[in-house]
Amino acid sequence: MRRDTPCQALVGRQRETELLEAALERAAGSEGGGSAALLRGEAGIGKSALLEWVAHRARERGFCVLRVVGVEAERELSFGALHQAAWPLLQHSRALSSHHRDALEGALGGRTETPPGGFAVGASALALLAEAAQHSPLLLVLDDLHWIDSSSATVFAFLRRRCAELPLVILGASRPDAAAVEAWPTEPLEIGALSGPDAASLLRQCYPELAAGTAGRLLEEAAGNPLALVELPRQLRVAQQRGVAPLPDRLPLGRRLERMFAERLGALSPAADRVLLLAALATGTECGSGALVCAMAGKDGGEALERIEAGGLARLDPVGRLVFRHPLVRTAVISNASESAQREAHRILAAFLPPDDPRRLVHEASAALVPDEALAARLQAAGSRLARRGGDAEGALLLNRAAALSADPAERARRLTWAAVMAARGGQLRHTAALVQELKRGSVPSDIAPLFAYAVVYVDQSHLIDFESSSALLPAALDALTAPGAESFGGLAEQVYFKLLLAATCTDDPRAWEALERHRGSVSEAGRLCLRAWTDPARGVAEELREVVDAMNAEQEAGAAWLLLWTASAVDSADGDLWRRFTGLHVYATQGSVAKAKCYQDYLRGRWDLAPVCLREAEAAEELGYHCNALIFRHYYAHFLAGRGDEAGLREIERLIRPTAARARMGFVLDRLTHLQGLVALAYGRYEQAYAHFAGIAPPGRLPKSLPWLPTLAFDLVDAAVHTGRRDEALAHISAGHAERAAEISGRQAFLLAAAAALAADDDEADAAYRTAYAVPGCERWVFELARLQLAHGSWLRRRHRAEARELLRVAQHAFRRLQADPWVKRTEEELRAAGDTPAAVRSISVAELTGQELRIARLAATGLSNREIGEVLSLSPRTVGSHLYKIFPKLGITSRAALAHALATR
């Protein structure tokens, strides 16, 4: 097929191509490390051209290239985009386990029976890629990510998080206003306009005969947009191109480029219009076949296809699919067609698909003009099957269509209620909120009332940050769901129980606690354990949690994920071993819970360089409408700020979240914010102020409302009490902790209670008490609190002129420096000076002692790449890269990037 212009080579984009080349080199190298990047830019800015370039370079290097193109018409088909990448590999797979094969074939439609569940799809896709990667490195290209179906997008997000394990490069492209970027918490690679010289070069390459004046005007109009540079000259007559005739008025750019394609569409024949519309609305590779589309269009289809190709609007690819020149062409084709023409095209497409194909249902629904109960029932059944397969978001869209085709108002309300719940589970919370509002304007049948109550509470808690309806609606919903012979709604009682428990722990509403206790016997072991974790955590909850999780199969884990994670959060057990078990769960509702658990664990375990992840997760949650999640992520970010003594930052976070938390009566968050204010006061030695904050949450000897937070508060309150001469109050709080058996809650709680006891111990018992705290198994995991205890112990030893004080203080100094906890560093240095020591920089070590990630960052930085560019190669944020360099420099005994190359070469 001929091309319309001689444009072949990529023009400009040196920075982008270097970064992408580095990612390919890393994946193809001996280490085989994977990475991911997101190209983000306006329509026509050159994202697709970069994807084509990197795909070509990857093939030259021996990569297997998997390409996925998001299509707007396929957004309702769960795992439709995943099918494009995974199905060819699955057909040739020989080593994939039956478990993984069943999960993928079920998700991709290769099996008619109910698949094992959507939770396994992400892990199974990873296993499939791992098998393929044994033969060659892989490049997974995701074009038009903003149009990829929700189920596929979240599976791709799971693969992005795990790609470092394989020789795999994942490269996505999306528009800047697309919600798809929530799946890519690393910084996107922004694709901007071409520079002036590069734009001129592209224009000359494509249109060498343009007159200088015409070229200048086009360069000004296009403003560096590559698509505009290629398409705008085509709107000109030959005389205008050569400068003989005057140019038209300013041409529209950006998204309005659709108008240019629309004008060219207007010159086509009716047969060509039909071919393009069928291709634009077609879903799947079969319907996208050029030959099939022409057959659908009628006897003039073949001739019409030739004219379409000649006009440059679309072309046949090597496998015979009709591919549009640019996504804007597809958009223009659909928007240019009348509603009747679109309905007719949907009818034609439906007739060419098997009766049991869910795509046929979508086309039939799009072609329908009047209510059709039979079609509505088929759509509902298909939507329910999609939800069981993990495609809740797509199932919700089918239920929504089914509701629109329902003649009976009661049936319509039932279907809309199910659509609302499915959309919430699938991460489409704004859609759920809109459906709930619509349902509130009418009447909801009593037989669906518990499900409707759940949908209302889901929106109120997660979207509106309002817990009042939880205690008002959910107790009655639990009563109905647990009544003899009641409809289970797919295990809804367990989910309602969790939502009520969440409200109880956040607001301490007695109505919620009473209902939870009343229905304790009606829920699973995981539900009962979660209630105990937040009311009586010292009674072996941590050990029992491990036993419960180990005894569960993957399907049971999927259903109990929220309960298990919330239980683990109460007893400091939400570590990597637990949350990694849920990374295959691809819906945001679960992934958001995993991310929250991970953020808090990053704080507890001293991984403070990951603090910016909290803010990225908050932004992603806001974009999806999960405003309560966003508040919690910022609340966790406040922990890092308080630990570092960043008062200004903490005030800003408080300004953002305290008013909302107060309105929602979220005592859980409000108490923690007050606690963090006290922690900052401790950092600067304002002990009276710190004590006032802590005592305001729980007076000495009295327990805070949330039992799991007792030891954390005890350690900080005792620290402030001892420094303000309130030793009796300190001892009273420690006694309260022992009375509640706080040391049995978790290893961290045992350490903090022992640390508090050491701070308050008599002089003749203090040294032994400190060493008792150090002897608590696993205490080295709690980096910040351990460093604070070492500072206190070192200070105690220094005042007694003990020689070991200096070494202990140096260890604390190193930890605080790594955490970037500057006020604590300063306090440690003051103690070192008082001990007669000069605080020194962290000692230089050899390159061999750098971690693998530190070494990779050091090598990239030595080549001259910026923090942002390094982050784009390694899927890290610029701030995380900077934090690593902050640790690398003193380790290598250098102070600047300029010295990196020499340091790496000489060690």
Side-chain angles (χ1 to χ4, degrees), residues 446-458 469-484 486-489 491-497 499-500 515 518-519 522-523:
S446 58
D447 60 348
I448 205 81
L451 192 67
F452 178 63
Y454 177 71
V456 169
V457 168
Y458 206 124
S469 63
S470 302
S471 298
L473 298 178
L474 294 186
L478 275 176
D479 291 341
L481 289 167
T482 56
E487 166 67 48
S488 69
F489 296 101
L492 183 65
E494 200 87 346
Q495 297 167 59
V496 168
Y497 196 81
K499 287 292 185 183
L500 190 57
R518 188 171 72 249
H519 289 284
S522 304
V523 294

mmCIF file of all heavy atoms in Angstrom, residues 446-458 469-484 486-489 491-497 499-500 515 518-519 522-523:
data_model
loop_
_atom_site.group_PDB
_atom_site.id
_atom_site.type_symbol
_atom_site.label_atom_id
_atom_site.label_comp_id
_atom_site.label_asym_id
_atom_site.label_seq_id
_atom_site.Cartn_x
_atom_site.Cartn_y
_atom_site.Cartn_z
ATOM 1 N N SER A 446 -37.881 -3.607 47.834
ATOM 2 C CA SER A 446 -37.402 -4.047 49.156
ATOM 3 C C SER A 446 -36.468 -5.241 49.059
ATOM 4 O O SER A 446 -35.583 -5.414 49.910
ATOM 5 C CB SER A 446 -38.603 -4.397 50.041
ATOM 6 O OG SER A 446 -39.385 -5.418 49.437
ATOM 7 N N ASP A 447 -36.633 -6.080 48.028
ATOM 8 C CA ASP A 447 -35.791 -7.269 47.934
ATOM 9 C C ASP A 447 -34.335 -6.927 47.592
ATOM 10 O O ASP A 447 -33.451 -7.771 47.736
ATOM 11 C CB ASP A 447 -36.354 -8.255 46.907
ATOM 12 C CG ASP A 447 -36.441 -7.657 45.510
ATOM 13 O OD1 ASP A 447 -36.285 -6.436 45.361
ATOM 14 O OD2 ASP A 447 -36.675 -8.431 44.555
ATOM 15 N N ILE A 448 -34.087 -5.702 47.147
ATOM 16 C CA ILE A 448 -32.730 -5.288 46.799
ATOM 17 C C ILE A 448 -32.186 -4.281 47.824
ATOM 18 O O ILE A 448 -31.073 -3.763 47.672
ATOM 19 C CB ILE A 448 -32.717 -4.682 45.373
ATOM 20 C CG1 ILE A 448 -31.319 -4.820 44.734
ATOM 21 C CG2 ILE A 448 -33.138 -3.225 45.379
ATOM 22 C CD1 ILE A 448 -31.082 -6.167 44.149
ATOM 23 N N ALA A 449 -32.949 -4.016 48.895
ATOM 24 C CA ALA A 449 -32.586 -2.971 49.864
ATOM 25 C C ALA A 449 -31.202 -3.157 50.476
ATOM 26 O O ALA A 449 -30.452 -2.186 50.597
ATOM 27 C CB ALA A 449 -33.659 -2.883 50.953
ATOM 28 N N PRO A 450 -30.793 -4.378 50.898
ATOM 29 C CA PRO A 450 -29.437 -4.506 51.480
ATOM 30 C C PRO A 450 -28.338 -4.135 50.475
ATOM 31 O O PRO A 450 -27.339 -3.508 50.857
ATOM 32 C CB PRO A 450 -29.359 -5.983 51.867
ATOM 33 C CG PRO A 450 -30.779 -6.416 52.034
ATOM 34 C CD PRO A 450 -31.543 -5.645 50.996
ATOM 35 N N LEU A 451 -28.534 -4.525 49.223
ATOM 36 C CA LEU A 451 -27.522 -4.190 48.213
ATOM 37 C C LEU A 451 -27.492 -2.687 47.967
ATOM 38 O O LEU A 451 -26.419 -2.095 47.809
ATOM 39 C CB LEU A 451 -27.837 -4.931 46.908
ATOM 40 C CG LEU A 451 -26.734 -4.914 45.840
ATOM 41 C CD1 LEU A 451 -25.534 -5.716 46.310
ATOM 42 C CD2 LEU A 451 -27.265 -5.474 44.522
ATOM 43 N N PHE A 452 -28.654 -2.059 47.951
ATOM 44 C CA PHE A 452 -28.714 -0.611 47.770
ATOM 45 C C PHE A 452 -28.061 0.102 48.954
ATOM 46 O O PHE A 452 -27.308 1.073 48.774
ATOM 47 C CB PHE A 452 -30.166 -0.166 47.618
ATOM 48 C CG PHE A 452 -30.326 1.327 47.485
ATOM 49 C CD1 PHE A 452 -29.789 2.012 46.402
ATOM 50 C CD2 PHE A 452 -30.997 2.060 48.456
ATOM 51 C CE1 PHE A 452 -29.927 3.388 46.279
ATOM 52 C CE2 PHE A 452 -31.136 3.433 48.341
ATOM 53 C CZ PHE A 452 -30.595 4.096 47.256
ATOM 54 N N ALA A 453 -28.319 -0.388 50.175
ATOM 55 C CA ALA A 453 -27.689 0.218 51.354
ATOM 56 C C ALA A 453 -26.172 0.129 51.251
ATOM 57 O O ALA A 453 -25.453 1.086 51.581
ATOM 58 C CB ALA A 453 -28.175 -0.487 52.623
ATOM 59 N N TYR A 454 -25.691 -1.006 50.785
ATOM 60 C CA TYR A 454 -24.240 -1.179 50.619
ATOM 61 C C TYR A 454 -23.690 -0.176 49.606
ATOM 62 O O TYR A 454 -22.637 0.430 49.822
ATOM 63 C CB TYR A 454 -23.955 -2.605 50.176
ATOM 64 C CG TYR A 454 -22.491 -2.899 49.910
ATOM 65 C CD1 TYR A 454 -21.572 -2.973 50.948
ATOM 66 C CD2 TYR A 454 -22.038 -3.110 48.611
ATOM 67 C CE1 TYR A 454 -20.236 -3.253 50.706
ATOM 68 C CE2 TYR A 454 -20.700 -3.394 48.355
ATOM 69 C CZ TYR A 454 -19.811 -3.462 49.407
ATOM 70 O OH TYR A 454 -18.491 -3.724 49.151
ATOM 71 N N ALA A 455 -24.417 0.004 48.497
ATOM 72 C CA ALA A 455 -23.966 0.955 47.476
ATOM 73 C C ALA A 455 -23.948 2.377 48.020
ATOM 74 O O ALA A 455 -23.005 3.143 47.768
ATOM 75 C CB ALA A 455 -24.884 0.872 46.248
ATOM 76 N N VAL A 456 -24.969 2.748 48.774
ATOM 77 C CA VAL A 456 -25.041 4.090 49.359
ATOM 78 C C VAL A 456 -23.849 4.314 50.297
ATOM 79 O O VAL A 456 -23.161 5.346 50.249
ATOM 80 C CB VAL A 456 -26.367 4.287 50.118
ATOM 81 C CG1 VAL A 456 -26.330 5.577 50.940
ATOM 82 C CG2 VAL A 456 -27.536 4.329 49.132
ATOM 83 N N VAL A 457 -23.608 3.341 51.169
ATOM 84 C CA VAL A 457 -22.514 3.475 52.138
ATOM 85 C C VAL A 457 -21.166 3.497 51.431
ATOM 86 O O VAL A 457 -20.258 4.250 51.824
ATOM 87 C CB VAL A 457 -22.574 2.338 53.174
ATOM 88 C CG1 VAL A 457 -21.294 2.281 54.003
ATOM 89 C CG2 VAL A 457 -23.786 2.520 54.081
ATOM 90 N N TYR A 458 -21.037 2.688 50.391
ATOM 91 C CA TYR A 458 -19.781 2.666 49.642
ATOM 92 C C TYR A 458 -19.464 4.062 49.116
ATOM 93 O O TYR A 458 -18.337 4.567 49.249
ATOM 94 C CB TYR A 458 -19.897 1.679 48.474
ATOM 95 C CG TYR A 458 -18.588 1.101 48.001
ATOM 96 C CD1 TYR A 458 -18.391 -0.266 47.951
ATOM 97 C CD2 TYR A 458 -17.537 1.915 47.597
ATOM 98 C CE1 TYR A 458 -17.184 -0.806 47.526
ATOM 99 C CE2 TYR A 458 -16.338 1.378 47.156
ATOM 100 C CZ TYR A 458 -16.168 0.028 47.118
ATOM 101 O OH TYR A 458 -14.983 -0.505 46.683
ATOM 102 N N SER A 469 -24.179 7.377 57.294
ATOM 103 C CA SER A 469 -25.075 6.356 56.737
ATOM 104 C C SER A 469 -24.612 4.947 57.108
ATOM 105 O O SER A 469 -25.415 4.014 57.103
ATOM 106 C CB SER A 469 -25.167 6.488 55.223
ATOM 107 O OG SER A 469 -23.908 6.266 54.615
ATOM 108 N N SER A 470 -23.335 4.773 57.423
ATOM 109 C CA SER A 470 -22.830 3.441 57.770
ATOM 110 C C SER A 470 -23.562 2.891 58.989
ATOM 111 O O SER A 470 -24.075 1.771 58.978
ATOM 112 C CB SER A 470 -21.329 3.505 58.042
ATOM 113 O OG SER A 470 -20.621 4.006 56.933
ATOM 114 N N SER A 471 -23.613 3.699 60.038
ATOM 115 C CA SER A 471 -24.271 3.245 61.264
ATOM 116 C C SER A 471 -25.786 3.293 61.149
ATOM 117 O O SER A 471 -26.494 2.583 61.874
ATOM 118 C CB SER A 471 -23.813 4.105 62.454
ATOM 119 O OG SER A 471 -22.418 3.980 62.652
ATOM 120 N N ALA A 472 -26.288 4.118 60.234
ATOM 121 C CA ALA A 472 -27.735 4.229 60.074
ATOM 122 C C ALA A 472 -28.318 3.109 59.211
ATOM 123 O O ALA A 472 -29.436 2.643 59.473
ATOM 124 C CB ALA A 472 -28.083 5.583 59.446
ATOM 125 N N LEU A 473 -27.578 2.653 58.203
ATOM 126 C CA LEU A 473 -28.132 1.701 57.231
ATOM 127 C C LEU A 473 -27.605 0.277 57.381
ATOM 128 O O LEU A 473 -28.337 -0.683 57.144
ATOM 129 C CB LEU A 473 -27.843 2.181 55.801
ATOM 130 C CG LEU A 473 -28.438 3.526 55.376
ATOM 131 C CD1 LEU A 473 -27.998 3.853 53.945
ATOM 132 C CD2 LEU A 473 -29.956 3.488 55.468
ATOM 133 N N LEU A 474 -26.346 0.128 57.718
ATOM 134 C CA LEU A 474 -25.738 -1.201 57.635
ATOM 135 C C LEU A 474 -26.214 -2.179 58.715
ATOM 136 O O LEU A 474 -26.304 -3.383 58.440
ATOM 137 C CB LEU A 474 -24.214 -1.083 57.667
ATOM 138 C CG LEU A 474 -23.605 -0.389 56.442
ATOM 139 C CD1 LEU A 474 -22.087 -0.449 56.495
ATOM 140 C CD2 LEU A 474 -24.119 -0.984 55.139
ATOM 141 N N PRO A 475 -26.509 -1.744 59.956
ATOM 142 C CA PRO A 475 -27.048 -2.723 60.911
ATOM 143 C C PRO A 475 -28.319 -3.405 60.408
ATOM 144 O O PRO A 475 -28.456 -4.632 60.521
ATOM 145 C CB PRO A 475 -27.316 -1.877 62.162
ATOM 146 C CG PRO A 475 -26.283 -0.787 62.084
ATOM 147 C CD PRO A 475 -26.215 -0.447 60.624
ATOM 148 N N ALA A 476 -29.231 -2.630 59.822
ATOM 149 C CA ALA A 476 -30.461 -3.232 59.277
ATOM 150 C C ALA A 476 -30.140 -4.130 58.086
ATOM 151 O O ALA A 476 -30.775 -5.178 57.888
ATOM 152 C CB ALA A 476 -31.439 -2.129 58.863
ATOM 153 N N ALA A 477 -29.168 -3.714 57.259
ATOM 154 C CA ALA A 477 -28.772 -4.546 56.122
ATOM 155 C C ALA A 477 -28.217 -5.885 56.605
ATOM 156 O O ALA A 477 -28.513 -6.940 56.035
ATOM 157 C CB ALA A 477 -27.735 -3.808 55.278
ATOM 158 N N LEU A 478 -27.412 -5.868 57.668
ATOM 159 C CA LEU A 478 -26.899 -7.114 58.231
ATOM 160 C C LEU A 478 -28.029 -7.980 58.780
ATOM 161 O O LEU A 478 -28.027 -9.205 58.618
ATOM 162 C CB LEU A 478 -25.890 -6.815 59.339
ATOM 163 C CG LEU A 478 -24.442 -6.565 58.915
ATOM 164 C CD1 LEU A 478 -23.596 -6.181 60.122
ATOM 165 C CD2 LEU A 478 -23.856 -7.790 58.226
ATOM 166 N N ASP A 479 -29.003 -7.350 59.428
ATOM 167 C CA ASP A 479 -30.157 -8.104 59.933
ATOM 168 C C ASP A 479 -30.847 -8.838 58.793
ATOM 169 O O ASP A 479 -31.199 -10.017 58.906
ATOM 170 C CB ASP A 479 -31.154 -7.171 60.619
ATOM 171 C CG ASP A 479 -30.607 -6.595 61.923
ATOM 172 O OD1 ASP A 479 -29.644 -7.173 62.474
ATOM 173 O OD2 ASP A 479 -31.136 -5.552 62.376
ATOM 174 N N ALA A 480 -31.053 -8.135 57.676
ATOM 175 C CA ALA A 480 -31.749 -8.735 56.530
ATOM 176 C C ALA A 480 -30.914 -9.833 55.886
ATOM 177 O O ALA A 480 -31.430 -10.891 55.498
ATOM 178 C CB ALA A 480 -32.083 -7.650 55.512
ATOM 179 N N LEU A 481 -29.622 -9.596 55.753
ATOM 180 C CA LEU A 481 -28.757 -10.559 55.059
ATOM 181 C C LEU A 481 -28.545 -11.836 55.852
ATOM 182 O O LEU A 481 -28.279 -12.896 55.271
ATOM 183 C CB LEU A 481 -27.397 -9.905 54.769
ATOM 184 C CG LEU A 481 -27.394 -8.824 53.695
ATOM 185 C CD1 LEU A 481 -26.084 -8.043 53.735
ATOM 186 C CD2 LEU A 481 -27.603 -9.433 52.306
ATOM 187 N N THR A 482 -28.623 -11.749 57.174
ATOM 188 C CA THR A 482 -28.372 -12.925 58.021
ATOM 189 C C THR A 482 -29.657 -13.615 58.475
ATOM 190 O O THR A 482 -29.601 -14.578 59.236
ATOM 191 C CB THR A 482 -27.552 -12.528 59.265
ATOM 192 O OG1 THR A 482 -28.237 -11.473 59.969
ATOM 193 C CG2 THR A 482 -26.175 -12.034 58.862
ATOM 194 N N ALA A 483 -30.816 -13.120 57.999
ATOM 195 C CA ALA A 483 -32.083 -13.762 58.343
ATOM 196 C C ALA A 483 -32.168 -15.125 57.640
ATOM 197 O O ALA A 483 -31.598 -15.316 56.563
ATOM 198 C CB ALA A 483 -33.251 -12.878 57.910
ATOM 199 N N PRO A 484 -32.874 -16.083 58.222
ATOM 200 C CA PRO A 484 -32.989 -17.413 57.606
ATOM 201 C C PRO A 484 -33.569 -17.323 56.195
ATOM 202 O O PRO A 484 -34.579 -16.659 55.955
ATOM 203 C CB PRO A 484 -33.944 -18.158 58.550
ATOM 204 C CG PRO A 484 -33.800 -17.460 59.866
ATOM 205 C CD PRO A 484 -33.561 -16.013 59.530
ATOM 206 N N ALA A 486 -32.425 -15.804 53.626
ATOM 207 C CA ALA A 486 -32.236 -14.525 52.931
ATOM 208 C C ALA A 486 -31.316 -14.681 51.732
ATOM 209 O O ALA A 486 -30.438 -15.555 51.698
ATOM 210 C CB ALA A 486 -31.667 -13.488 53.894
ATOM 211 N N GLU A 487 -31.534 -13.829 50.735
ATOM 212 C CA GLU A 487 -30.657 -13.750 49.569
ATOM 213 C C GLU A 487 -29.261 -13.298 50.014
ATOM 214 O O GLU A 487 -29.124 -12.344 50.775
ATOM 215 C CB GLU A 487 -31.235 -12.752 48.565
ATOM 216 C CG GLU A 487 -30.283 -12.324 47.462
ATOM 217 C CD GLU A 487 -29.943 -13.455 46.505
ATOM 218 O OE1 GLU A 487 -30.885 -14.138 46.049
ATOM 219 O OE2 GLU A 487 -28.740 -13.640 46.235
ATOM 220 N N SER A 488 -28.212 -13.996 49.544
ATOM 221 C CA SER A 488 -26.858 -13.683 50.002
ATOM 222 C C SER A 488 -26.197 -12.586 49.188
ATOM 223 O O SER A 488 -25.223 -11.976 49.644
ATOM 224 C CB SER A 488 -25.983 -14.935 49.928
ATOM 225 O OG SER A 488 -25.734 -15.295 48.581
ATOM 226 N N PHE A 489 -26.692 -12.336 47.989
ATOM 227 C CA PHE A 489 -26.089 -11.345 47.092
ATOM 228 C C PHE A 489 -24.583 -11.584 46.929
ATOM 229 O O PHE A 489 -23.780 -10.654 46.939
ATOM 230 C CB PHE A 489 -26.325 -9.916 47.593
ATOM 231 C CG PHE A 489 -27.770 -9.513 47.623
ATOM 232 C CD1 PHE A 489 -28.471 -9.525 48.819
ATOM 233 C CD2 PHE A 489 -28.423 -9.134 46.466
ATOM 234 C CE1 PHE A 489 -29.809 -9.167 48.861
ATOM 235 C CE2 PHE A 489 -29.769 -8.768 46.491
ATOM 236 C CZ PHE A 489 -30.466 -8.793 47.690
ATOM 237 N N GLY A 491 -22.347 -13.242 48.930
ATOM 238 C CA GLY A 491 -21.505 -13.025 50.110
ATOM 239 C C GLY A 491 -21.452 -11.576 50.551
ATOM 240 O O GLY A 491 -20.444 -11.132 51.108
ATOM 241 N N LEU A 492 -22.542 -10.851 50.347
ATOM 242 C CA LEU A 492 -22.556 -9.421 50.661
ATOM 243 C C LEU A 492 -22.404 -9.159 52.156
ATOM 244 O O LEU A 492 -21.853 -8.131 52.552
ATOM 245 C CB LEU A 492 -23.855 -8.793 50.136
ATOM 246 C CG LEU A 492 -24.004 -7.286 50.307
ATOM 247 C CD1 LEU A 492 -22.961 -6.545 49.484
ATOM 248 C CD2 LEU A 492 -25.410 -6.832 49.921
ATOM 249 N N ALA A 493 -22.894 -10.081 53.010
ATOM 250 C CA ALA A 493 -22.857 -9.847 54.454
ATOM 251 C C ALA A 493 -21.432 -9.568 54.933
ATOM 252 O O ALA A 493 -21.192 -8.698 55.774
ATOM 253 C CB ALA A 493 -23.446 -11.044 55.203
ATOM 254 N N GLU A 494 -20.462 -10.286 54.369
ATOM 255 C CA GLU A 494 -19.070 -10.113 54.776
ATOM 256 C C GLU A 494 -18.573 -8.704 54.424
ATOM 257 O O GLU A 494 -17.855 -8.067 55.198
ATOM 258 C CB GLU A 494 -18.205 -11.161 54.079
ATOM 259 C CG GLU A 494 -16.899 -11.406 54.750
ATOM 260 C CD GLU A 494 -17.023 -12.461 55.852
ATOM 261 O OE1 GLU A 494 -18.146 -12.803 56.261
ATOM 262 O OE2 GLU A 494 -15.983 -12.919 56.306
ATOM 263 N N GLN A 495 -18.959 -8.234 53.246
ATOM 264 C CA GLN A 495 -18.523 -6.910 52.811
ATOM 265 C C GLN A 495 -19.216 -5.806 53.614
ATOM 266 O O GLN A 495 -18.602 -4.788 53.943
ATOM 267 C CB GLN A 495 -18.802 -6.750 51.321
ATOM 268 C CG GLN A 495 -18.016 -7.740 50.473
ATOM 269 C CD GLN A 495 -18.513 -7.802 49.051
ATOM 270 O OE1 GLN A 495 -18.527 -6.797 48.346
ATOM 271 N NE2 GLN A 495 -18.933 -8.979 48.613
ATOM 272 N N VAL A 496 -20.486 -6.014 53.930
ATOM 273 C CA VAL A 496 -21.212 -5.056 54.768
ATOM 274 C C VAL A 496 -20.578 -5.011 56.160
ATOM 275 O O VAL A 496 -20.408 -3.932 56.746
ATOM 276 C CB VAL A 496 -22.706 -5.440 54.859
ATOM 277 C CG1 VAL A 496 -23.410 -4.632 55.949
ATOM 278 C CG2 VAL A 496 -23.389 -5.211 53.514
ATOM 279 N N TYR A 497 -20.201 -6.185 56.672
ATOM 280 C CA TYR A 497 -19.576 -6.250 57.995
ATOM 281 C C TYR A 497 -18.275 -5.454 57.998
ATOM 282 O O TYR A 497 -17.985 -4.710 58.942
ATOM 283 C CB TYR A 497 -19.312 -7.710 58.347
ATOM 284 C CG TYR A 497 -19.030 -7.956 59.815
ATOM 285 C CD1 TYR A 497 -20.065 -8.052 60.740
ATOM 286 C CD2 TYR A 497 -17.729 -8.106 60.274
ATOM 287 C CE1 TYR A 497 -19.821 -8.293 62.086
ATOM 288 C CE2 TYR A 497 -17.468 -8.340 61.623
ATOM 289 C CZ TYR A 497 -18.517 -8.432 62.521
ATOM 290 O OH TYR A 497 -18.263 -8.664 63.851
ATOM 291 N N LYS A 499 -17.436 -2.907 56.012
ATOM 292 C CA LYS A 499 -17.726 -1.473 55.910
ATOM 293 C C LYS A 499 -18.182 -0.921 57.261
ATOM 294 O O LYS A 499 -17.832 0.207 57.643
ATOM 295 C CB LYS A 499 -18.802 -1.217 54.845
ATOM 296 C CG LYS A 499 -18.324 -1.372 53.412
ATOM 297 C CD LYS A 499 -17.346 -0.269 53.056
ATOM 298 C CE LYS A 499 -16.946 -0.303 51.610
ATOM 299 N NZ LYS A 499 -15.926 0.721 51.273
ATOM 300 N N LEU A 500 -18.957 -1.703 57.994
ATOM 301 C CA LEU A 500 -19.421 -1.255 59.306
ATOM 302 C C LEU A 500 -18.254 -1.220 60.297
ATOM 303 O O LEU A 500 -18.147 -0.305 61.124
ATOM 304 C CB LEU A 500 -20.522 -2.186 59.809
ATOM 305 C CG LEU A 500 -21.281 -1.735 61.068
ATOM 306 C CD1 LEU A 500 -21.919 -0.369 60.866
ATOM 307 C CD2 LEU A 500 -22.349 -2.761 61.441
ATOM 308 N N ALA A 515 -23.852 -3.430 66.567
ATOM 309 C CA ALA A 515 -24.258 -4.298 65.462
ATOM 310 C C ALA A 515 -23.163 -5.301 65.108
ATOM 311 O O ALA A 515 -23.441 -6.465 64.789
ATOM 312 C CB ALA A 515 -24.606 -3.452 64.238
ATOM 313 N N ARG A 518 -23.278 -7.991 67.663
ATOM 314 C CA ARG A 518 -24.497 -8.795 67.523
ATOM 315 C C ARG A 518 -24.370 -9.820 66.395
ATOM 316 O O ARG A 518 -24.916 -10.928 66.477
ATOM 317 C CB ARG A 518 -25.696 -7.867 67.279
ATOM 318 C CG ARG A 518 -27.039 -8.583 67.319
ATOM 319 C CD ARG A 518 -28.209 -7.630 67.293
ATOM 320 N NE ARG A 518 -28.417 -7.001 65.996
ATOM 321 C CZ ARG A 518 -28.216 -5.731 65.713
ATOM 322 N NH1 ARG A 518 -27.767 -4.915 66.670
ATOM 323 N NH2 ARG A 518 -28.448 -5.242 64.505
ATOM 324 N N HIS A 519 -23.666 -9.442 65.341
ATOM 325 C CA HIS A 519 -23.556 -10.320 64.171
ATOM 326 C C HIS A 519 -22.215 -11.032 64.080
ATOM 327 O O HIS A 519 -21.877 -11.591 63.038
ATOM 328 C CB HIS A 519 -23.793 -9.504 62.894
ATOM 329 C CG HIS A 519 -25.214 -9.070 62.720
ATOM 330 N ND1 HIS A 519 -26.206 -9.928 62.315
ATOM 331 C CD2 HIS A 519 -25.810 -7.859 62.917
ATOM 332 C CE1 HIS A 519 -27.357 -9.277 62.262
ATOM 333 N NE2 HIS A 519 -27.149 -8.021 62.621
ATOM 334 N N SER A 522 -22.298 -14.460 62.687
ATOM 335 C CA SER A 522 -22.858 -14.656 61.347
ATOM 336 C C SER A 522 -21.847 -14.465 60.240
ATOM 337 O O SER A 522 -22.184 -14.620 59.065
ATOM 338 C CB SER A 522 -24.029 -13.675 61.130
ATOM 339 O OG SER A 522 -25.009 -13.819 62.121
ATOM 340 N N VAL A 523 -20.615 -14.118 60.604
ATOM 341 C CA VAL A 523 -19.609 -13.855 59.580
ATOM 342 C C VAL A 523 -18.491 -14.895 59.665
ATOM 343 O O VAL A 523 -18.463 -15.727 60.574
ATOM 344 C CB VAL A 523 -19.012 -12.432 59.725
ATOM 345 C CG1 VAL A 523 -20.078 -11.388 59.449
ATOM 346 C CG2 VAL A 523 -18.399 -12.220 61.102
#
